[in-house]
């Protein structure tokens, strides 16, 4: 069973930056389409960005310009670079990915455990 391992969250002041990472725990599982979501207390989980296996990104309208999703396929890792952070960006950020098992050729969807991002004013 593979896990999505997220890292990079933390506490940052408004205007600061953070880079989140999402990686598969087992190298025999390859990240396919990957999405970042976030969920603030009392709010529904919302899509932040998506990246295709080839690296084409799409963003939620409210995230355009400040957030950048990218991937390093050699490291089987996807990143979310967040800049000019605002207190309203405070949330738990989740990685969601279609993951290919190279041994069985099965594609399954997985969620990461989430990483907390807190932006202070």
């Amino acid at each position: 069973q593979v896990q999505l391992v997220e890292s990079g969250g933390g506490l940052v002041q408004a205007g600061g930056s953070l880079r989140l990472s999402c990686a598969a725990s087992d190298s025999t599982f390859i990240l396919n389409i990957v999405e970042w979501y976030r969920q603030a207390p009392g709010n529904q989980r919302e899509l932040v960005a998506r990246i295709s296996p080839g690296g084409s990104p799409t963003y939620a309208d409210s995230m355009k310009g400040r957030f950048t999703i990218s991937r390093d396929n050699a490291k089987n890792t996807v990143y979310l670079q967040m800049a000019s952070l605002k207190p309203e960006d405070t949330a738990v950020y989740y990685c969601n990915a279609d993951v290919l098992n190279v041994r069985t050729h099965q594609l399954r969807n997985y969620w990461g455990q989430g990483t907390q991002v807190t932006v202070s004013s």
Side-chain angles (χ1 to χ4, degrees), residues 23-69:
S25 61
D26 186 326
S27 61
T28 61
F29 291 81
I30 305 300
L31 299 181
N32 196 273
I33 294 173
V34 180
E35 299 172 324
W36 283 100
Y37 286 80
R38 70 183 186 183
Q39 187 167 21
N43 290 357
Q44 290 188 332
R45 193 170 294 189
E46 62 175 343
L47 178 66
V48 175
R50 175 185 298 117
I51 191 165
S52 72
S56 296
T58 56
Y59 300 94
D61 287 342
S62 60
M63 315 297 174
K64 290 179 180 178
R66 297 189 300 121
F67 291 6
T68 303
I69 191 170

Side-chain angles (χ1 to χ4, degrees), residues 19-24 27 29-32 34 36 51-56 68-81:
R19 188 177 79 159
L20 308 183
S21 300
C22 173
S27 61
F29 291 81
I30 305 300
L31 299 181
N32 196 273
V34 180
W36 283 100
I51 191 165
S52 72
S56 296
T68 303
I69 191 170
S70 62
R71 66 191 302 153
D72 185 336
N73 287 339
K75 295 181 179 179
N76 203 23
T77 301
V78 169
Y79 305 97
L80 183 69
Q81 179 70 47

Side-chain angles (χ1 to χ4, degrees), residues 95-107:
C95 176
N96 175 266
D98 290 334
V99 182
L100 176 68
N101 185 327
V102 298
R103 290 173 294 187
T104 67
H105 305 289
Q106 287 184 322
L107 193 67

